[in-house]
Amino acid sequence: MFTQNPDKKLLLGLAISALCLFLLFRKIDFHKMAEAFAGLEYRYLVPALLLTFASYYLRAVRWKFLLAPIKKTSLGNLFPSTLIGYMANNLLPARLGELVRAYSLGSKEGIGTSAVFASLVLDRLCDGFTILLVLLVTFFTIELPAGMEGIQHGLVTGGYVTFALYLGVLAFLFLLRRHTEFTLGVVARLVRPFAPHLGEKIEGVLRSFISGIRFPGDAGGIAGILVTSLLVWFTAIWPVDLMLRAFGVFLPATASMFIMVFLVFAVMVPASPGFIGTHHLACVTALSAFQIGSERALSIAIVIHAMGFIPVTLAGLGCLWRDKLSIRNISENPSQEQLREQ
């Protein structure tokens, strides 16, 4: 088990989380922080909670569209498996939640874990493209307070760079799908002079990736994926605005989008399970651009993290209990099934 033999990545993540927490709390006035929590308006928590679960439900709906070329699946299985997967990401290291999510649904629907996992690769790509769109809108429309003009210009520059990156990724995936051999040949020629063995590995990974991907071919399926992707992030960003209002902070909607972009980048950094520390530091850093005091910013960060961590973890554990599974089962079985499928 991973808990008995933590690997280097887990230890690195724990160290980074500890460093982030140290940086966050080293100069905090806890009396001011207590005052910030005392002024919290709890009436905003219920709609934020409902929107949080709506976001996960919409993820399940999008997953149904992505799995349509493989099998017609039930939302009654997709939604609990989604909750179980995100619960596992919160409690287990190395983002095992993706494998857990694939195993959970595969065992219910009779689909191989590798096939389900391929749909989750598409799921992550949809998230990536949608958050890039959010990034573009944010960078070009956000207005920071006076004195932050340098950051404002930097964000606009970042918007152009992100737009170019977005187009580049789309073009690469299009060529990889339509002209696979040609694209793989170009990649191999570019990488081989610097790292011959790495070039072969990259070519193998890309070939396996593109052969396992089955994207819906009908207009209704594609439209469903696009619409649910936008709604997933709309219902994920809105609770951030509600949490700001709960602490008496009223900012334009683009501010919540700006914070969400920081949070998305934070989960890419190695950290402890649940992204403790990195999530909070990213939120506080984003809020500092709007001249929010450290104590209030950290209070907001704690509540935003708790709103995303506690409800889905409890719901996922409930689904796990209902399915008569255990954390030990779900952390071991995915890797075992993958070995059987190879």
Side-chain angles (χ1 to χ4, degrees):
M1 282 288 291
F2 61 85
T3 52
Q4 296 169 341
N5 299 290
D7 59 17
K8 292 181 180 179
K9 186 174 181 180
L10 174 59
L11 291 175
L12 175 63
L14 291 172
I16 291 175
S17 287
L19 176 61
C20 290
L21 291 174
F22 169 75
L23 294 174
L24 285 167
F25 283 98
R26 62 176 178 162
K27 293 183 179 180
I28 286 293
D29 184 329
F30 289 96
H31 292 293
K32 289 184 179 180
M33 196 169 171
E35 290 176 0
F37 275 113
L40 177 65
E41 293 190 46
Y42 292 93
R43 62 191 175 96
Y44 289 100
L45 298 184
V46 172
L49 180 63
L50 293 175
L51 285 166
T52 298
F53 276 106
S55 181
Y56 287 113
Y57 184 79
L58 287 164
R59 285 186 176 279
V61 174
R62 182 178 65 185
W63 198 11
K64 183 177 178 68
F65 284 116
L66 292 172
L67 283 166
I70 301 173
K71 182 181 180 181
K72 185 177 180 180
T73 50
S74 165
L75 279 171
N77 290 329
L78 288 161
F79 186 44
S81 293
T82 299
L83 294 174
I84 288 173
Y86 279 90
M87 173 275 297
N89 269 340
N90 287 341
L91 299 181
L92 303 177
R95 298 191 69 88
L96 285 174
E98 300 307 309
L99 279 175
V100 168
R101 186 175 163 194
Y103 171 76
S104 174
L105 184 72
S107 62
K108 296 173 185 175
E109 292 282 352
I111 309 173
T113 301
S114 60
V116 182
F117 191 74
S119 72
L120 293 181
V121 173
L122 278 177
D123 185 81
R124 287 303 179 189
L125 284 173
C126 290
D127 275 342
F129 291 143
T130 311
I131 202 63
L132 276 174
L133 179 62
V134 172
L135 196 68
L136 285 172
V137 173
T138 303
F139 283 0
F140 286 121
T141 61
I142 194 169
E143 294 185 8
L144 297 178
M148 310 292 272
E149 288 81 7
I151 296 177
Q152 184 83 51
H153 291 308
L155 290 176
V156 173
T157 302
Y160 285 116
V161 172
T162 302
F163 183 64
L165 176 64
Y166 182 80
L167 291 180
V169 171
L170 284 177
F172 176 75
L173 290 175
F174 175 81
L175 289 172
L176 188 62
R177 183 66 179 175
R178 291 295 183 90
H179 307 284
T180 303
E181 295 303 323
F182 170 78
T183 307
L184 289 175
V186 171
V187 172
R189 285 194 294 272
L190 290 174
V191 176
R192 193 175 294 122
F194 305 99
H197 297 297
L198 179 61
E200 293 176 4
K201 289 182 179 179
I202 291 175
E203 182 178 350
V205 169
L206 288 175
R207 191 180 297 278
S208 175
F209 165 73
I210 204 64
S211 64
I213 293 299
R214 298 178 64 184
F215 203 78
D218 61 296
I222 294 173
I225 291 169
L226 293 174
V227 171
T228 51
S229 292
L230 291 173
L231 290 175
V232 161
W233 286 98
F234 174 75
T235 51
I237 292 170
W238 196 355
V240 174
D241 179 70
L242 291 172
M243 291 301 95
L244 293 176
R245 293 173 181 273
F247 282 92
V249 177
F250 298 91
L251 295 172
T254 50
S256 298
M257 296 166 65
F258 180 77
I259 294 167
M260 181 57 71
V261 168
F262 271 69
L263 297 180
V264 168
F265 283 115
V267 303
M268 298 178 186
V269 178
S272 67
F275 315 108
I276 295 171
T278 53
H279 188 284
H280 300 82
L281 184 60
C283 188
V284 170
T285 303
L287 285 167
S288 68
F290 300 96
Q291 301 174 345
I292 306 298
S294 299
E295 288 78 12
R296 177 172 289 188
L298 183 53
S299 302
I300 294 170
I302 289 171
V303 173
I304 289 176
H305 180 266
M307 184 60 65
F309 181 90
I310 296 174
V312 71
T313 301
L314 293 176
L317 288 171
C319 293
L320 202 66
W321 174 81
R322 188 196 66 178
D323 294 342
K324 296 182 171 60
L325 293 173
S326 69
I327 291 181
R328 183 182 182 89
N329 293 143
I330 64 176
S331 61
E332 291 179 346
N333 285 334
S335 57
Q336 292 173 357
E337 182 165 330
Q338 274 197 322
L339 289 173
R340 290 196 297 270
E341 291 178 358
Q342 288 177 352

